[in-house]
């Protein structure tokens, strides 16, 4: 399959099947042997996700740093791919993973809906969402979306990007038809004309752009940070493992800053992208050199989005949003991050 055809309809079906198979293996295959205490054959297990929207996770997985560091502690590392923030949140809530990658907005929404997670590190400050349409669609601004159909993955940053963009243009989700599709499916729907526009996510969006799609509305301020989240039970029962994960992320952050070209190549290989597309994502739309410590800056960004959850009916009350915002961020692990503790694989 050629890279340029990765997200056409036929290849998307194969992509979806592969992701579904991987998720099934992660949830019901190898992980089926895991008991409630997280043990497999007498050894601890770290269940962690990787995602193409989280380049640092790809570096850690590619380099085998967690495996090398945890081997002497008799800890097995199990990787599960997250196709979107909503899927990462589902896996965290189900206990399929201990640590998962989401956008900040998705983490807050999950916490507000009583998912027992904490944000323990940040992995990027991306411009990963924008509004996309096909060339010659006649859509050139957000106001043109009135009466149109838009694909978006509910519970993720692109969806909340769409909501904010519509509001800025004097519209709401009632003025459009929102097709709730997973990110890759949304891209496929736009490509085959099933929808008029798509609230996209990189790196899929960068490929669509190279293939002729138009990013007709961009706004960095409507993108939230990349949040690394862990279940409260994992943080309570295995704080040393949680610290190792954050240490590995800090090592990956330093490595990515020193090796942007290889970082782009790792993304290209993992996502089936052309190197030029991956380079665009890494160098132009992903700030990986952001501090890993979650704090007031992220809380301020989420405070602007929180009321939208209530307006859309995703959370019952503003009080629940406020409580989630007050309790979501845990900076204790990131403040102690020690990249030198992470071993290189042999």
């Amino acid at each position: 399959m050629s890279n340029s055809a990765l997200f056409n309809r036929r290849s998307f079906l194969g992509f979806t099947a592969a992701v579904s198979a991987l998720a099934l293996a992660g949830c019901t295959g190898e992980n089926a042997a895991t008991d409630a205490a997280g043990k497999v054959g007498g050894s601890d297990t770290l269940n962690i996700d990787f995602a193409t929207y989280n380049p640092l996770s790809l570096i850690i997985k590619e380099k085998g740093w967690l495996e090398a560091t945890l081997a002497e502690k008799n800890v097995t590392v199990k990787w599960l791919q997250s196709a979107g923030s909503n899927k990462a949140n589902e896996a965290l809530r189900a206990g399929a993973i201990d640590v998962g990658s989401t956008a900040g907005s998705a983490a807050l929404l999950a916490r507000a809906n009583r998912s027992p997670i904490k944000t323990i590190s940040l992995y990027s400050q991306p411009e990963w969402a924008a509004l996309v349409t096909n060339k010659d669609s006649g859509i050139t601004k957000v106001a043109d979306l009135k009466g149109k159909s838009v694909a978006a993955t509910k519970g993720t940053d692109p969806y909340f990007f769409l909501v904010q963009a519509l509001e800025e243009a004097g519209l709401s989700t009632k003025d459009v038809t929102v097709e709730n599709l997973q990110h890759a499916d949304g891209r496929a729907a736009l490509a085959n004309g099933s929808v008029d526009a798509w609230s996209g996510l990189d790196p899929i969006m960068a490929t669509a752009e190279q293939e002729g799609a138009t990013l007709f509305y961009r706004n960095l301020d409507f993108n939230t940070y990349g949040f690394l989240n862990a279940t409260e039970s994992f943080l309570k029962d295995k704080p040393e493992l949680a610290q190792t994960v954050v240490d590995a992320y800090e090592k990956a952050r330093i490595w990515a800053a020193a090796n942007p070209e290889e970082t782009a190549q790792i993304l290209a290989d993992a996502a089936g992208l052309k190197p030029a597309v991956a380079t665009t994502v890494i160098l132009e739309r992903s700030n990986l050199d952001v501090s890993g410590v979650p704090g007031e800056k992220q809380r301020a960004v989420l405070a602007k989005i929180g009321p939208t959850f209530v307006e859309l009916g995703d959370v019952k009350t503003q009080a629940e949003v406020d409580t989630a915002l007050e309790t979501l961020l845990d900076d204790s692990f990131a403040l102690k991050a020690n990249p030198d503790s992470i071993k290189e694989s042999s």
Side-chain angles (χ1 to χ4, degrees):
M1 178 174 62
S2 66
N3 287 335
S4 62
L6 179 65
F7 292 109
N8 65 21
R9 187 63 179 173
R10 179 177 297 175
S11 58
F12 166 70
L13 293 174
F15 170 83
T16 302
V19 171
S20 297
L22 179 58
L24 184 61
C27 294
T28 63
E30 294 173 321
N31 289 344
T34 304
D35 63 20
K39 303 283 187 178
V40 175
S43 63
D44 277 336
T45 300
L46 169 63
N47 297 299
I48 185 170
D49 83 339
F50 68 100
T52 57
Y53 55 85
N54 177 0
L56 297 188
S57 72
L58 303 180
I59 293 171
I60 296 168
K61 183 175 183 293
E62 171 74 17
K63 298 296 182 181
W65 291 338
L66 285 174
E67 290 82 352
T69 303
L70 295 173
E72 64 183 28
K73 299 179 182 178
N74 203 26
V75 176
T76 301
V77 180
K78 300 292 185 183
W79 293 94
L80 175 69
Q81 184 168 10
S82 292
S85 294
N86 60 327
K87 296 301 181 183
N89 275 328
E90 288 173 10
L92 284 164
R93 186 184 286 273
I97 54 176
D98 305 304
V99 183
S101 318
T102 73
S105 58
L108 178 62
L109 178 61
R111 179 81 184 180
N113 282 313
R114 297 182 174 80
S115 181
I117 61 170
K118 292 275 192 176
T119 299
I120 57 175
S121 185
L122 306 174
Y123 58 83
S124 69
Q125 181 189 18
E127 186 193 3
W128 53 17
L131 297 183
V132 189
T133 191
N134 290 318
K135 185 178 180 181
D136 301 326
S137 69
I139 297 173
T140 61
K141 57 185 182 298
V142 179
D144 294 334
L145 292 177
K146 187 173 183 179
K148 305 290 187 181
S149 58
V150 186
T153 309
K154 289 188 176 181
T156 70
D157 240 32
Y159 177 71
F160 295 115
F161 184 96
L162 171 64
V163 171
Q164 293 175 91
L166 289 171
E167 182 179 9
E168 183 185 59
L171 302 175
S172 75
T173 53
K174 295 179 180 179
D175 295 304
V176 301
T177 300
V178 179
E179 298 291 349
N180 184 22
L181 301 172
Q182 202 61 43
H183 302 299
D185 205 358
R187 163 56 185 147
L190 179 66
N192 65 30
S194 298
V195 295
D196 300 301
W198 167 52
S199 194
L201 179 74
D202 272 335
I204 304 172
M205 184 170 67
T207 296
E209 185 179 23
Q210 188 183 66
E211 294 176 350
T214 300
L215 276 57
F216 69 93
Y217 182 76
R218 299 170 65 176
N219 190 328
L220 180 61
D221 292 338
F222 287 173
N223 290 259
T224 60
Y225 288 73
F227 280 27
L228 188 70
N229 310 304
T231 62
E232 290 183 332
S233 59
F234 175 69
L235 297 178
K236 178 182 177 181
D237 297 338
K238 301 178 182 179
E240 291 184 1
L241 270 185
Q243 188 63 60
T244 299
V245 171
V246 175
D247 292 347
Y249 264 83
E250 192 59 30
K251 183 180 180 72
R253 191 186 325 279
I254 295 169
W255 188 91
N259 301 275
E261 293 82 8
E262 190 171 348
T263 298
Q265 187 59 56
I266 289 174
L267 173 61
D269 292 341
L273 303 175
K274 289 184 177 180
V277 174
T279 298
T280 295
V281 172
I282 295 299
L283 298 184
E284 298 180 20
R285 300 212 282 254
S286 298
N287 178 14
L288 302 178
D289 195 26
V290 65
S291 170
V293 181
E296 290 306 316
K297 185 176 291 187
Q298 291 73 44
R299 190 175 284 109
V301 171
L302 294 180
K304 296 178 182 179
I305 296 176
T308 302
F309 299 160
V310 181
E311 292 171 11
L312 295 175
D314 294 323
V315 180
K316 291 182 179 179
T317 67
Q318 183 62 42
E320 290 173 307
V321 175
D322 294 341
T323 298
L325 188 56
E326 291 172 2
T327 58
L328 175 63
L329 307 183
D330 182 347
D331 63 5
S332 63
F333 296 94
L335 287 172
K336 296 184 294 184
N338 178 17
D340 293 335
S341 69
I342 300 301
K343 295 183 178 181
E344 302 278 348
S345 60
S346 57

